[in-house]
């Protein structure tokens, strides 16, 4: 039996105060419990790409990633202590982590990576439940900084800049710089070997995404593919070079009427395997859906120099994806009569 020694509205007000106090206490306990993993560790200062100085664990044990293909992928490759990531839903409503499942299926099979919502809808309850000691996001996530900072230390990185600089910062924050440097050294050796197969060249490239609608997406240096092309000595040109020079993140939509300005020695077009399960054939059909007779209008396409790359592998920056892109590009270029070492 509940007893109250005050009358009328005084009693109601007293219960309201107690209710508010109980709620505040519950939130405090939850936040204290959540922040405990970070507070119990040795900490250091880290300057993120928003200019914030953040105290983070020297050796994080429970990292949450705020993007699957651009944050979780490098964390998995570095063998860091990642416990959760935002992801996306497939057509059946099943959550998955794009590019993580494609590049590191062995990790997905052996580890329990917690799904904490999508890019547009973070599941804060799930995020709190995994008790992260570090949250790594992108500068795009700055609007959620207050909510995330109440859970654990947060760093935000710019994933639109130089690929290796971005990856190195993730390695630094996660305490895995030594692993990064070892992987980078191996990748550099692979680049030198693959460049020999292409020979002395001055190939140009453009990067597109034919949408199948009323626009063509023209991209600048696109993730691992763009980095690999740079490392192999390709030069970005045409509309792709303009997009790149204007600092536009990833791609810019243009009218199909300017299709003639997409010419280059090679045109790379990326496609999603979940949208085009029949691969390059479906991507090629998409070009004609965007512009009737497009392949005939583009010399690079009509002569077989338009190359279609699965986006799940072309976009995320990891040494596994970079190495795949090196071999992918060389296999399409080095075998051509005018493209080998004897050129």
């Amino acid at each position: 039996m509940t007893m109250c020694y005050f009358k009328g509205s005084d009693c109601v007000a007293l219960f309201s105060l107690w209710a508010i106090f109980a709620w505040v206490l519950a939130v405090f306990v939850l936040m204290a419990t959540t922040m405990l993993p970070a507070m119990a560790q040795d900490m250091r200062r880290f300057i993120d790409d928003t200019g914030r100085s953040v105290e983070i664990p020297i050796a994080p044990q429970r990292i949450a990633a705020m993007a699957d293909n651009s944050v979780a992928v490098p964390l998995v490759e570095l063998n860091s202590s990642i416990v959760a990531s935002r992801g996306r839903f497939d057509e059946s409503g099943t959550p998955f982590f794009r590019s993580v499942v494609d590049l590191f299926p062995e990790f997905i099979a052996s580890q329990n990576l917690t799904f904490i919502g999508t890019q547009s809808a973070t599941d804060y309850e799930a995020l709190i439940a995994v008790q992260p000691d570090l949250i790594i996001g992108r500068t795009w996530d700055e609007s959620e900084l207050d909510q995330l900072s109440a859970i654990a230390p947060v760093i935000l990185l710019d994933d639109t800049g130089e690929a290796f600089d971005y990856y190195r910062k993730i390695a630094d924050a996660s305490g895995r710089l030594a692993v990064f440097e070892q992987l980078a050294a191996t990748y550099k050796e692979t680049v030198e070997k693959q460049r020999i197969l292409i020979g002395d060249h001055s190939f140009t490239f453009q990067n597109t995404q034919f949408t199948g609608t009323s626009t063509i997406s023209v991209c600048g240096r696109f993730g691992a593919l763009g980095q690999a092309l740079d490392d192999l000595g390709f030069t970005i040109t045409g509309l792709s070079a303009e997009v790149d020079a204007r600092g536009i993140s990833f791609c810019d939509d243009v009218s199909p009427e300017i299709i003639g300005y997409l010419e280059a020695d090679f045109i790379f077009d990326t496609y999603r395997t979940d949208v085009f399960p029949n691969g390059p054939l479906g991507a090629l059909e998409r070009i004609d859906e965007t512009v009737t007779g497009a392949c005939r209008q583009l010399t690079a396409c009509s002569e077989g120099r338009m190359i279609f790359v699965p986006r799940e592998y072309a976009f995320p920056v990891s040494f596994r994806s970079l190495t795949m892109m090196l071999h992918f590009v060389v296999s399409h270029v080095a075998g051509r009569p005018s493209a080998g070492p004897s050129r």
Side-chain angles (χ1 to χ4, degrees):
M1 177 180 295
T2 302
M3 299 181 65
C4 180
Y5 296 99
F6 298 91
K7 295 182 179 180
S9 60
D10 290 337
C11 185
V12 174
L14 182 61
F15 277 122
S16 297
L17 287 172
W18 275 109
I20 292 171
F21 174 77
W23 181 83
V24 171
L25 181 62
V27 171
F28 175 79
V29 170
L30 179 60
M31 290 177 59
T33 304
T34 303
M35 295 292 286
L36 189 58
M39 293 170 64
Q41 301 179 47
D42 292 331
M43 308 292 280
R44 68 183 177 102
R45 287 286 174 183
F46 185 95
I47 307 297
D48 74 1
D49 287 341
T50 68
R52 297 162 53 248
S53 177
V54 186
E55 251 199 13
I56 68 171
I58 292 176
Q61 299 300 308
R62 301 184 64 79
I63 304 174
M66 297 304 287
D68 46 12
N69 55 3
S70 58
V71 180
V73 163
L75 286 172
V76 169
E77 180 170 68
L78 292 167
N79 196 27
S80 67
S81 302
I82 178 173
V83 295
S85 175
R86 286 199 302 205
R88 46 204 95 199
F89 294 101
D90 62 19
E91 292 184 354
S92 68
T94 303
F96 74 102
F97 305 101
R98 177 171 293 163
S99 296
V100 181
V101 68
D102 303 286
L103 286 164
F104 300 99
E106 70 279 9
F107 174 85
I108 295 296
S110 62
Q111 303 292 325
N112 182 24
L113 189 62
T114 300
F115 183 83
I116 53 172
T118 64
Q119 309 291 336
S120 59
T122 303
D123 185 340
Y124 285 103
E125 186 175 336
L127 178 58
I128 290 172
V130 298
Q131 297 188 358
D133 58 4
L134 177 64
I135 298 172
I136 300 180
R138 304 164 301 166
T139 49
W140 308 68
D141 301 311
E142 195 165 6
S143 62
E144 297 185 63
L145 185 57
D146 289 343
Q147 300 97 306
L148 295 173
S149 296
I151 298 171
V154 182
I155 62 166
L156 303 179
L157 303 176
D158 181 6
D159 64 341
T160 65
E162 201 278 324
F164 285 122
D165 181 55
Y166 169 73
Y167 193 173
R168 196 178 194 282
K169 288 176 183 177
I170 289 181
D172 183 13
S174 60
R176 306 295 289 173
L177 263 180
V179 177
F180 172 86
E181 298 296 351
Q182 184 178 17
L183 291 171
T186 301
Y187 173 73
K188 184 177 180 180
E189 293 175 1
T190 305
V191 169
E192 296 306 316
K193 293 176 182 177
Q194 295 303 304
R195 289 196 67 158
I196 292 173
L197 298 178
I198 295 180
D200 185 19
H201 61 74
S202 57
F203 291 139
T204 60
F205 77 94
Q206 294 209 58
N207 193 356
T208 65
Q209 291 177 25
F210 281 75
T211 62
T213 59
S214 59
T215 61
I216 300 172
S217 290
V218 179
C219 310
R221 288 174 174 82
F222 191 88
L225 174 61
Q227 183 65 51
L229 288 167
D230 273 354
D231 293 337
L232 289 170
F234 281 67
T235 301
I236 192 168
T237 190
L239 293 178
S240 285
E242 292 182 16
V243 170
D244 207 55
R246 296 197 333 254
I248 295 176
S249 302
F250 310 127
C251 305
D252 190 20
D253 290 339
V254 300
S255 168
E257 295 176 359
I258 53 79
I259 189 170
Y261 293 95
L262 292 175
E263 287 292 2
D265 293 326
F266 291 92
I267 300 174
F268 293 88
D269 187 278
T270 61
Y271 66 92
R272 282 170 44 189
T273 57
D274 58 332
V275 176
F276 298 100
N278 55 343
L281 180 61
L284 185 60
E285 292 172 350
R286 178 187 59 184
I287 292 178
D288 273 333
E289 292 174 5
T290 306
V291 181
T292 302
C295 197
R296 293 191 302 273
Q297 297 181 51
L298 286 170
T299 305
C301 185
S302 61
E303 293 184 358
R305 290 181 282 107
M306 188 165 188
I307 301 170
F308 300 94
V309 190
R311 200 174 305 161
E312 291 86 348
Y313 303 97
F315 175 72
V317 176
S318 72
F319 289 107
R320 184 173 292 190
S321 57
L322 283 162
T323 302
M324 290 177 67
M325 290 300 103
L326 288 179
H327 293 299
F328 189 92
V329 171
V330 169
S331 68
H332 280 79
V333 174
R336 299 173 187 270
S338 62
S342 60
R343 180 184 177 188

